[in-house]
Amino acid sequence: DQNAKQILWINGRLATCDPKHTAPYGAILGHAIHTKGSIILAIIPQTDIVSIMNENVEVRDLNGAWVTPGFIDSHTHLVYGGNRAQEWEKRLNGVPYEQIAAEGGGIVSTVKATRELSLEDLVAQSSKRLEALIAEGVTTVEIKSGYGLNLEDELKQLTAAKQLSESYPVEVASTCLSAHAVPPEFKGRTDEYIDEVVNTIIPACAKAGLCEAVDVFCESVGFSREQCRRVFECAKAHGLKVKGHVEQLTNQHGAELVAEYKGLSCDHIEYLDEAGVKAMAESGTVAVLSPGAYYFLRETQKPPIDTLRAHGVNLAVATDLNPGTSPSASIRMAMNMACVLFGLTPEESVFGVTRNAAKALGRGETHGMLKEGYVADLLIWNVDHPSQLAYSVGTVGELKARVYRGVDNSAKPVASYPGF
Ligand SMILES: O=C(O)CC[C@@H]1NC(=O)NC1=O
Ligand SMILES: [Fe+3]
């Protein structure tokens, strides 16, 4: 659009997250960001800005503030009904899992709550969680189905995700996770439920254009590799990308299956072995870490971070926002936990919610870096150094402005940073 608004964002310290810049965080100083409409047109030396100044270019003085790409949460289940606080309370009072499950707890109880909600109420309840992510700087978020577990309610969940993307300044990457759990009506008939998933649910969600990827829960308490393979074959037949919750509680070698299908990402991966890491490295599959679930479940087995680093697998960090294992709508908390619990460096944690999260969503060429031709999603920070983005949690006012597709739509008035 020739008439799109042009803005020159000057005097910022740019944590570009672009590997072409070798400094930590891809940091470059003395450069300005030139945006036109929703795209970064160029990153130019401040000494050259006179050459592009004209009445069509608005100047925004960042007064030395750090700038990062918009944050990307590459794994959430944020569309759901109800909550699971009371079963969590029972667990902490020593009630065994089996008894909670027998009483209808677990994923099935969220399925029931989600099925009972109208689309409007599902959107209303979920919007609060999305607003929390937006307030911390999330500009692109992945949202899964997986609490409907029948055609009508899986479509309802994905429609809710679409409506949220139309109601907020955020991009939503929708994923069909019908292979999340066996619904009550198929109890004891898992293969028949997978028939329903591959013959009815995924085709309908794909046809409706309501999902771009398919996810599975490949686990001893979830679906077997062969059942997941059927789901991936169906995804492939419908032109959808694949990913998987794999090696979260045991090693089912789900990572190798995801890699075989050139999957976008393997998620959780606490029990991933070197064979799985090698397969991911060869297929370019991203490791999506969910420290929130590890923390909330009080797990002890950590993902093989050193092996993943040694084989050059990209590490993403996500909230895994869901009512059962990670009810935390904070990307900054996930960044902090990735460092404290899994040993990532603050720089790896920032890359984990920018360029690597973009790759996990198949958006590595357009999102997740301050780079020419990329989306103009910018976060303007009131911090002294980018390491603070993983270091502190909950500090009010650190996010001075959130720019989505070139427009400053900060959820709150910009903090009183002198001159900004
Ligand atoms: O408990 C829930 O509601 C979802 C749990 C969540 N789903 C999955 O496949 N792994 C998880 O941690
Ligand atoms: Fe998950």
Side-chain angles (χ1 to χ4, degrees), residues 384-398:
D384 302 324
H385 188 269
S387 54
Q388 282 174 252
L389 301 177
Y391 162 78
S392 59
V393 181
T395 307
V396 173
E398 284 190 341

Side-chain angles (χ1 to χ4, degrees), residues 81-130:
N83 70 72
R84 303 249 286 281
Q86 286 171 282
E87 81 171 45
W88 177 63
E89 184 175 41
K90 280 182 187 167
R91 277 208 333 254
L92 289 172
N93 277 294
V95 176
Y97 259 114
E98 297 72 17
Q99 183 180 333
I100 290 168
E103 292 166 356
I107 293 178
V108 174
S109 75
T110 300
V111 171
K112 185 172 179 297
T114 304
R115 287 178 170 181
E116 285 166 359
L117 282 182
S118 67
L119 172 62
E120 185 186 9
D121 290 345
L122 183 58
V123 169
Q125 283 193 21
S126 306
S127 61
K128 300 298 156 230
R129 292 182 283 268
L130 179 61

Side-chain angles (χ1 to χ4, degrees), residues 145-162:
S145 66
Y147 291 117
L149 306 187
N150 63 35
L151 176 59
E152 178 191 357
D153 293 302
E154 287 288 296
L155 286 170
K156 181 174 76 179
Q157 271 195 282
L158 292 170
T159 303
K162 184 169 188 290

Side-chain angles (χ1 to χ4, degrees), residues 238-257:
H238 288 83
L240 301 173
K241 293 280 187 185
V242 303
K243 62 181 84 176
H245 289 64
V246 296
E247 280 69 283
Q248 181 181 1
L249 308 172
T250 62
N251 188 352
Q252 301 293 321
H253 301 284
E256 286 146 84
L257 181 70

